[in-house]
Amino acid sequence: MIIGAILKGKGTEVISVGPADTVLSVARVLSERRIGAALVRDAGGALLGIVSERDIVRGMAAHGPGTTGRSVEEFMTRDLVTVAPQTLVTHALALVTRRRIRHLPVLDGDRLVGLVSIGDLVKARIDEAEQEAEELKAYVAAAG
């Protein structure tokens, strides 16, 4: 299975915030949308980074109570790890495991086409394994 198949099922909506948005406003977006990360994009839509719950917690640990009023640009992860729609789910799972990250922006060339989480990847892999098991059962039943 490829990443593009996941996006067909979950959709391509990506929640983005601006680099000058406060940590508090981003935390509210993450909470309201029940998501773990948002992409950080400039006014022209260019991808600048990603901010996750983990980034916010680390910022709070380093800067204390004043963190919520600071800009997300101070805490976002700039070194993005991305995948393409044609990337195999198994490759993406290895990538998130090796890099210890939870979200992968999906780029088709330079164009952002979605975002997948480790949860999306695991669900896709489980669905694929269940389908394979059903096909094997059907094959054995037909052969028997």
Side-chain angles (χ1 to χ4, degrees):
M1 180 181 291
I2 59 172
I3 297 297
I6 293 175
L7 293 179
K8 283 182 184 171
K10 79 173 269 188
T12 58
E13 180 185 19
V14 176
I15 304 303
S16 299
V17 297
D21 290 355
T22 65
V23 169
L24 180 60
S25 69
V26 172
R28 286 183 174 143
V29 167
L30 296 179
S31 177
E32 289 166 4
R33 301 294 286 223
R34 300 178 53 88
I35 56 176
L39 294 178
V40 182
R41 299 169 84 178
D42 67 16
L47 192 54
L48 304 175
I50 189 168
V51 62
S52 68
E53 295 165 325
R54 184 184 294 174
D55 293 323
I56 291 171
V57 168
R58 286 181 179 156
M60 291 179 77
H63 299 285
T67 303
T68 59
R70 296 175 94 140
S71 72
V72 143
E73 188 172 30
E74 295 180 57
F75 304 106
M76 70 182 187
T77 300
R78 296 170 193 276
D79 182 23
L80 288 173
V81 178
T82 64
V83 292
Q86 302 80 18
T87 302
L88 292 173
V89 168
T90 53
H91 176 76
L93 276 167
L95 197 56
V96 297
T97 301
R98 188 172 57 252
R99 296 293 298 266
R100 299 182 56 86
I101 56 176
R102 298 179 187 157
H103 300 87
L104 293 167
V106 183
L107 300 178
D108 191 359
D110 289 335
R111 188 172 60 93
L112 177 68
V113 295
L115 180 74
V116 293
S117 70
I118 192 168
D120 298 327
L121 299 172
V122 169
K123 180 185 180 309
R125 190 65 188 108
I126 289 170
D127 290 348
E128 190 175 45
E130 288 175 349
Q131 181 181 351
E132 289 171 1
E134 288 302 317
E135 290 171 0
L136 282 172
K137 285 180 191 176
Y139 175 77
V140 169

